[in-house]
Amino acid sequence: MASSRKPTVADSSALLVDKVAQRIAACAAFVVSGDVPTVAIALSGGRDSAALLHACAAWRDAGAHVRLVALHVNHGLQADAHAWERACARMAEAVAVEFHARRVHVCAAAGQGVEEAAREARYAALETLCTETGASLLLTAHHLDDQAETVLLQLMRGAGLDGLAAMPMVRPGAFLLLRPWIDVPRSEIERYAHAQALTWVEDPSNDDTRYARNALRPLLKGMAAHFPGYREALARSAAHLADAAELVDEVARADLAQIVSTGGLSVAGLAALSGARQRAALRLWLRLERMRALSARRLEDLRTQLVDARQDGALCVNLPAGRCVRRYRGVAWIERAEVDLVWQATGEVIHFDGTRRTEQRVDVATWNGVLVFSPVSNGIPMHTLQAPLSLVSRRGGERIVLRTGGPTRALKQAYQEAGIPGWQRTKLPLLYAGDTLVFAAGLGIDRSLTEQGAGWDIAWLPAALRAG
């Protein structure tokens, strides 16, 4: 539904085209070398994104060596959603830009509104489309009025520094996100669209005051009479808060470097920090694990449980998206909150060819891992492994020898000494040869069975390590 008029920069709105060109050029990650780079434009079909598409095409036609792709996400939330998709395709065709669309299903999780769920689905779809089209840079048409609205909405929601910092011009991630018009007022984009005789689709939900952003707009119009520069002022405040958030992150990264290792987060190290630094460290720790930010209440609950719980007690704090934080022996880590499975005591039959003196891997899907048999000169002899092999769960009372000439130990005691928490032990199978326990995942082979000469060592790789 865009005008068929070819893009031009010969009018007074050329400044918007210049901003696109300059800000793309300023992106350090956008380096033109060899192949023509691909720039994607998020195209909803509204006035702002239609104007951005047109301005990008004008930049290209002015001599930029670039491939442009328009990306549309069809949320299916409106009766005319499919008509909008077709309209976006015509807009892209009118300015000779490739068009790609993806349809998504928006499902709001508990405690999540439709707007937030749609935004998450949209960015996930855009990430996929960028990957499929080879785009290294994605442009969105957010502007100064959007920024002002975002700051006020976040303030009224009681957001922290990250939320109040609002939308940065550039956001790194799976792709580089650029908002070239984030400092441009809506009125300038309106003038550009009318000057270029563009047409666009109107979303009726923009007038629905059930959505917080729409309810805020009449208030902002009234505010403009008393504070004509409120947009720029709020944007400056957001920039100051972004600086403060970056400083807090620097402190949190330094703290995490001291208290986090491959083994998890040291609870004692966390407790040694001030309350504010504890919260900052936990926020960053969760974010680095690609988790959604917790509310202030849930974050404080996590902090107090980690720091104040009995030092000898196991702890599990459930988090959104099926994750949890567990603590054991003073170390905390993030896991998936899986329901522990109970396997049949008869177990799963394992097929292993001991006549082949080479490493063999046996994928055990029911246990979500891999058994690795490696030939060694002092291991479990083949005559032992000729008995039927089966993986079973613990039944209690099992014993094992973990050191040649060492004492026999109860498995429970051996796991405790190895520092393996109880909830992880249920996911670690035992390998039997007939009625003989030959291997315990997480501990090793029974050394009382080893013999000099051609034998086998056995190891267990959980699903997360299979690729290795």
Side-chain angles (χ1 to χ4, degrees):
M1 294 180 66
S3 166
S4 61
R5 173 185 173 186
K6 289 298 180 181
T8 176
V9 295
D11 52 49
S12 60
S13 55
L15 175 64
L16 293 189
V17 179
D18 291 340
K19 280 185 180 289
V20 168
Q22 293 165 7
R23 283 168 178 172
I24 290 178
C27 290
F30 188 76
V31 179
V32 179
S33 59
D35 295 338
V36 175
T38 298
V39 172
I41 303 105
L43 180 64
S44 68
R47 181 196 56 233
D48 302 334
S49 66
L52 180 61
L53 172 68
H54 188 276
C56 287
W59 165 60
R60 176 203 59 197
D61 293 348
H65 297 287
V66 66
R67 169 180 170 241
L68 296 179
V69 294
L71 308 182
H72 176 75
V73 179
N74 183 341
H75 300 89
L77 295 175
Q78 299 290 340
D80 294 331
H82 298 325
W84 295 348
E85 180 178 326
R86 293 191 294 271
C88 287
R90 291 193 293 272
M91 291 179 192
E93 182 182 13
V95 291
V97 171
E98 291 180 37
F99 178 74
H100 301 265
R102 180 168 291 267
R103 298 180 182 181
V104 298
H105 175 66
V106 177
C107 182
Q112 185 184 41
V114 173
E115 288 176 286
E116 182 182 0
R119 183 171 59 253
E120 289 187 359
R122 178 166 60 255
Y123 278 105
L126 288 171
E127 179 176 340
T128 299
L129 286 169
C130 281
T131 300
E132 292 176 352
T133 59
S136 56
L137 185 63
L138 173 70
L139 275 58
T140 67
H142 292 107
H143 47 69
L144 188 60
D145 293 70
D146 291 327
Q147 184 76 305
E149 292 167 4
T150 299
V151 174
L152 288 176
L153 284 171
Q154 294 285 47
L155 183 64
M156 286 187 282
R157 289 167 178 162
L161 286 177
D162 288 336
L164 293 172
M167 298 180 288
M169 181 177 292
V170 179
R171 189 193 73 185
F175 52 84
L176 196 66
L177 176 65
L178 174 65
R179 301 179 175 98
W181 291 347
I182 197 64
D183 59 348
V184 175
R186 180 185 287 118
S187 58
E188 285 191 27
I189 299 174
E190 289 177 351
R191 282 195 294 271
Y192 181 93
H194 290 300
Q196 298 295 337
L198 302 182
T199 55
W200 53 86
V201 295
E202 294 287 355
D203 185 346
S205 67
N206 288 337
D207 297 322
D208 189 343
T209 55
R210 290 177 300 175
Y211 296 112
R213 190 176 290 270
N214 297 339
L216 185 65
R217 284 169 183 163
L219 302 177
L220 292 177
K221 287 183 180 178
M223 182 186 299
H226 298 281
F227 304 98
Y230 78 89
R231 300 172 184 85
E232 293 79 4
L234 287 172
R236 285 197 302 274
S237 293
H240 295 322
L241 292 165
D243 284 344
E246 185 176 350
L247 181 59
V248 170
D249 260 10
E250 287 182 11
V251 174
R253 286 182 186 278
D255 287 339
L256 285 183
Q258 298 298 316
I259 65 176
V260 172
S261 66
T262 54
L265 182 147
S266 165
V267 175
L270 180 69
L273 302 175
S274 67
R277 287 171 67 174
Q278 289 175 12
R279 288 185 286 274
L282 288 174
R283 274 194 297 268
L284 180 59
W285 186 50
L286 296 173
R287 193 170 79 229
L288 293 175
E289 291 294 324
R290 300 177 67 86
M291 294 189 61
R292 287 174 51 197
L294 297 183
S295 67
R297 181 186 60 79
R298 295 195 72 172
L299 184 73
E300 184 63 12
D301 179 61
L302 172 61
R303 185 190 72 83
T304 55
Q305 289 204 58
L306 283 176
V307 173
D308 297 340
R310 289 188 303 113
Q311 293 302 307
D312 60 344
L315 176 73
C316 177
V317 181
N318 289 322
L319 300 176
R323 307 290 289 277
C324 66
V325 172
R326 293 189 183 271
R327 197 198 76 175
Y328 180 72
R329 293 187 176 181
V331 176
W333 60 94
I334 301 168
E335 286 192 342
R336 295 207 171 275
E338 299 173 324
V339 176
D340 290 337
L341 301 178
V342 178
W343 285 269
Q344 296 293 327
T346 53
E348 178 167 335
V349 176
I350 300 300
H351 299 285
F352 157 68
D353 183 4
T355 63
R356 293 193 297 119
R357 295 291 293 170
T358 183
E359 180 182 281
Q360 297 179 47
R361 296 190 171 205
V362 181
D363 189 23
V364 191
T366 54
W367 283 89
N368 203 23
V370 174
L371 272 174
V372 182
F373 293 83
S374 303
V376 293
S377 58
N378 182 16
I380 304 292
M382 190 57 221
H383 65 77
T384 298
L385 297 177
Q386 284 176 340
L389 300 178
S390 60
L391 274 185
V392 303
S393 56
R394 291 177 59 210
R395 288 164 287 186
E398 299 92 349
R399 302 184 70 81
I400 193 169
V401 175
L402 297 176
R403 178 170 54 85
T404 302
T408 180
R409 317 292 292 276
L411 273 188
K412 180 178 181 180
Q413 180 185 6
Y415 278 125
Q416 287 174 339
E417 292 175 353
I420 299 175
W423 65 86
Q424 288 189 353
R425 299 171 204 165
T426 62
K427 305 171 188 176
L428 297 175
L430 308 180
L431 180 66
Y432 277 81
D435 295 328
T436 302
L437 174 64
V438 296
F439 169 77
L443 296 174
I445 60 176
D446 189 319
R447 290 291 169 180
S448 68
L449 303 175
T450 61
E451 295 180 5
Q452 288 293 335
W456 295 89
D457 193 14
I458 305 170
W460 174 253
L461 292 181
L465 302 177
R466 284 187 195 184

